[in-house]
Amino acid sequence: MWTRSVSEPAPDHPDNEDRVLVKGDLVGVFDGVTQPTSIESGCLHSVAWYVDRLTTRLSEAAGRDPLAPLADLLAAAIAATNGDHGGACDLTNPATLAATVCLVRRSGPRLEYLILCDAFLVVDNGRDIAVLTDTRFEQAVAGIRRDYLDGTTLLGTPEHAQRFVDSERRKYLLTNSDAGYWIAAANPAAARHAVTGVLPLTGPNALRRAALLTDGATRAVDTFAIMDWRELLDLATTEGPEALIKRIRDAENGDLTGIARPRFKRYDDATIALCEFAGDDDYLSPTQSSAQKASR
């Protein structure tokens, strides 16, 4: 498995609230939930701090028990991050810091995966493209987006900013509940509600490549519609993950008002981890060197 990754902050935001993890056969992307400044989270720390601690704690958990189920690793990471607050923060606040998560781990002839909230895993077996995500989030917030994101207010205006705040307040009422959606916040049990599964790395349906994406990186397809999922994979594979993010930035800059493509944030942090698999000798990644092939 060869992995390349890029994580880039939004141009108008000083802190990157995304993270990427590559630890042996374990790869992950994390997306911290942006907090409106007018909403009290009950926490003394920043979103960037939270997602950094969660990523670090998950890496440590995987180091202690590399064969543990992915949900167990995430639960342990959430619990350990709770301890990092040092008792100084109100972790019962509905707006407590949170992050979406996508993990994959190569385990012999298969790829295990875990998805929590609106992270995406896009996979290709050489014939078909499959897009995996936690659909409960989109179902839970669809009505909220219809109410507050109708393309009638300009990005950067006070009215648009207030709509973002109001939408977030409604989302907090749905967080980590069966009636809404699940996300990595202060409740380790949320990890048990993640979407999990396995995909083959050998045989006729063996994966050739997989991309883990935060929602800032999926904008190329689901927000701006400048490419489809196969084209996204092809661009990241042939020109590199950086090329994908550049295309997204170009699209964001082409609609600064948010009228053509309604969204709550003009720019978003964008993270992609691209994994390429060489399961047999007749497949060579477009970016794999002859030296790498010889070392297999």
Side-chain angles (χ1 to χ4, degrees):
M1 180 170 72
W2 289 265
T3 301
R4 291 176 291 159
S5 64
V6 172
S7 184
E8 182 181 291
D12 59 351
H13 197 272
D15 295 323
N16 188 354
E17 296 173 346
D18 284 3
R19 292 293 184 275
V20 62
L21 168 67
V22 179
K23 185 179 180 66
D25 289 327
L26 176 67
V27 179
V29 298
F30 305 75
D31 184 357
V33 177
T34 299
Q35 293 276 5
T37 56
S38 60
I39 294 181
E40 175 55 55
S41 70
C43 186
L44 301 176
H45 304 97
S46 69
V47 176
W49 175 91
Y50 177 78
V51 74
D52 188 66
R53 295 311 305 157
L54 184 67
T55 305
T56 299
R57 290 304 194 179
L58 197 144
S59 178
E60 293 170 349
R64 290 191 300 270
D65 191 356
L67 300 181
L70 295 177
D72 288 357
L73 295 180
L74 180 56
I78 294 171
T81 302
N82 286 348
D84 290 335
H85 288 273
C89 305
D90 177 12
L91 301 184
T92 66
N93 189 308
T96 192
L97 306 182
T100 71
V101 182
C102 180
L103 304 172
V104 299
R105 180 175 61 192
R106 182 165 190 163
S107 180
R110 64 183 191 169
L111 187 75
E112 302 170 288
Y113 66 85
L114 176 150
I115 305 168
L116 192 61
C117 204
D118 61 343
F120 281 73
L121 176 64
V122 184
V123 297
D124 174 24
N125 65 9
R127 297 182 309 277
D128 303 313
I129 303 292
V131 181
L132 307 174
T133 189
D134 186 345
T135 58
R136 292 168 298 185
F137 177 77
E138 182 60 36
Q139 293 166 356
V141 304
I144 297 173
R145 286 180 172 166
R146 284 194 300 269
D147 291 343
Y148 296 105
L149 201 59
D150 58 6
T152 62
T153 59
L154 301 179
L155 279 164
T157 62
E159 182 182 0
H160 190 278
Q162 186 59 51
R163 286 192 175 201
F164 178 48
V165 171
D166 293 342
S167 70
E168 289 299 294
R169 291 189 188 280
R170 283 180 56 181
K171 282 169 58 179
Y172 295 143
L173 300 177
L174 302 172
T175 301
N176 283 349
S177 72
D178 288 327
Y181 64 93
W182 296 88
I183 193 168
N187 182 3
R192 314 299 178 193
H193 295 271
V195 175
T196 59
V198 295
L199 297 164
L201 294 175
T202 59
N205 295 315
L207 295 188
R208 293 192 172 191
R209 52 187 178 169
L212 296 74
L213 304 137
T214 63
D215 65 347
T218 65
R219 282 185 163 197
V221 178
D222 55 25
T223 300
F224 295 105
I226 56 178
M227 62 185 72
D228 61 24
W229 294 111
R230 184 180 296 278
E231 290 168 332
L232 181 151
L233 282 177
D234 288 346
L235 178 63
T237 302
T238 59
E239 299 185 34
E242 300 91 345
L244 171 63
I245 295 180
K246 182 181 184 304
R247 291 284 300 276
I248 293 168
R249 296 296 179 235
D250 290 344
E252 291 168 333
N253 287 326
D255 180 37
L256 294 176
T257 65
I259 296 300
R261 299 292 178 177
R263 54 199 190 276
F264 285 118
K265 294 184 283 186
R266 177 175 289 129
Y267 303 100
D268 197 4
D269 304 334
T271 299
I272 173 174
L274 177 69
C275 304
E276 300 170 83
F277 309 97
D280 51 54
D281 289 338
D282 65 2
Y283 172 64
L284 180 62
S285 158
T287 59
Q288 182 182 351
S289 70
S290 59
Q292 286 175 315
K293 186 178 182 183
S295 70
R296 293 207 318 238

